[in-house]
């Protein structure tokens, strides 16, 4: 989730704030791990994503779009976020310090989202 994490070390080397995020989300098990249908739901989500591709339609988006990502995201790498922004005409892109959980790792991220939404909804 964060390219700065190195789980091969003992103790693990974690990205800034990552240990606090792990502690806040529980015992390290996936969320809803005790839910009997969790595995079925996860599998169905992956199946749906595998067959879903609307990349060629991104240019049809005609509304203000704020594309955001984490500089150290291992799941949605910055180069993918950049390609997404380039496919949406007039979009604004911004990267934040963090991995896939950059909204929790970088305190400026939510402020930037709020500012964008305020600008986008002001007549």
């Amino acid at each position: 989730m964060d390219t700065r994490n190195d789980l091969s070390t003992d103790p693990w080397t974690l990205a800034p704030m990552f240990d606090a995020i792990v502690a806040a989300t529980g015992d390290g098990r996936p969320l809803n791990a005790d839910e009997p249908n969790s595995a079925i739901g996860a599998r169905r989500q992956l199946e749906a994503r595998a067959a879903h591709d609307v990349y060629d339609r991104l240019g049809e988006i005609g509304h203000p779009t704020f594309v955001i990502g984490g500089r150290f995201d291992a799941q949605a790498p910055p180069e993918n976020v950049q390609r997404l922004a380039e496919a949406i005409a007039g979009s604004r892109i911004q990267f934040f310090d963090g991995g896939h959980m950059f909204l929790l790792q970088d305190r400026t991220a939510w402020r930037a989202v709020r500012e964008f939404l305020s600008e986008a909804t002001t007549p």
Side-chain angles (χ1 to χ4, degrees):
M1 293 176 62
D2 192 310
T3 59
R4 297 169 295 174
N5 290 339
D6 186 352
L7 305 183
S8 69
T9 61
D10 188 17
W12 295 344
T13 303
L14 297 177
M17 289 192 60
F18 207 81
D19 53 346
I21 293 169
V22 171
T25 57
D27 59 8
R29 295 182 308 142
L31 296 176
N32 302 321
D34 56 348
E35 166 60 44
N37 293 315
S38 181
I40 294 168
R43 181 179 44 90
R44 288 181 178 166
Q45 180 184 21
L46 290 173
E47 289 170 355
R49 284 184 5 194
H52 183 78
D53 183 359
V54 293
Y55 185 81
D56 292 339
R57 295 183 58 203
L58 292 175
E60 297 174 23
I61 296 174
H63 298 281
T65 305
F66 190 28
V67 179
I68 58 178
R71 285 187 183 94
F72 307 102
D73 193 334
Q75 289 184 291
E79 54 272 12
N80 290 2
V81 175
Q82 181 71 42
R83 281 195 291 273
L84 178 68
E86 289 169 358
I88 302 171
S91 68
R92 189 165 97 195
I93 186 170
Q94 187 170 347
F95 289 97
F96 297 93
D97 287 327
H100 200 62
M101 300 179 85
F102 68 88
L103 286 167
L104 299 174
Q105 291 174 292
D106 187 335
R107 295 178 187 263
T108 67
W110 279 114
R111 183 176 338 124
V113 170
R114 283 192 305 270
E115 288 172 4
F116 173 80
L117 292 174
S118 292
E119 294 167 8
T121 58
T122 302

